[in-house]
Amino acid sequence: MASEFRTQKVEETLMHLAAEFLQRESNRISLITVTGIKLADRYTKAVILLSVLPDHKAPEALDFVRRKRSEFKEYIKKHSKLQRLPLVDFEIDYGEKNRQRIEEISNQ
């Protein structure tokens, strides 16, 4: 029970920090939204899931956030009390994209 609570708190912290960081660092050409996080056991790795609008800018946005990984890690150090920092990666949230597409089709 306590570990579930801790996992949830770490996920919330990382999602919030990622959203803040991307808002500050983004070039505003595309809208990058943090939609979720996958956290490995013992917090060794975190994959931050993103949604990008417009869709055709997703590869560029993914390249951008991956270039900023080391800066993001420093941002986490400065703005959180996490003792162990996970290795961070970013991925496009295809589950969210699929959900949006299904919603779009069902509204036609």
Side-chain angles (χ1 to χ4, degrees), residues 45-90:
K45 185 175 181 185
V47 178
I48 297 171
L49 303 173
L50 307 171
S51 174
V52 179
L53 289 175
D55 286 340
H56 69 277
K57 295 284 187 181
E60 293 171 37
L62 192 57
D63 185 47
F64 164 75
V65 296
R66 286 184 171 163
R67 283 194 318 265
K68 295 283 187 177
R69 278 186 285 217
S70 61
E71 290 176 45
F72 178 56
K73 194 162 188 169
E74 289 301 314
Y75 189 81
I76 295 170
K77 281 183 194 177
K78 288 180 184 173
H79 295 90
S80 78
K81 295 178 182 176
L82 296 177
Q83 282 116 16
R84 272 190 249 151
L85 298 180
L87 293 174
V88 176
D89 197 10
F90 296 90

Side-chain angles (χ1 to χ4, degrees), residues 10-16 18-19 22 32-39 46-51 72 88-96:
V10 170
E11 287 175 348
E12 288 174 3
T13 298
L14 290 173
M15 283 182 64
H16 177 75
L22 293 174
I32 304 171
T33 306
V34 177
T35 58
I37 189 166
K38 294 189 276 187
L39 197 58
V47 178
I48 297 171
L49 303 173
L50 307 171
S51 174
F72 178 56
V88 176
D89 197 10
F90 296 90
E91 289 180 5
I92 300 298
D93 187 353
Y94 290 105
E96 177 65 16

Side-chain angles (χ1 to χ4, degrees), residues 55 94-108:
D55 286 340
Y94 290 105
E96 177 65 16
K97 285 182 91 146
N98 292 339
R99 186 198 62 73
Q100 289 173 355
R101 180 71 179 130
I102 289 169
E103 189 174 299
E104 183 181 301
I105 291 169
S106 66
N107 288 335
Q108 290 179 350

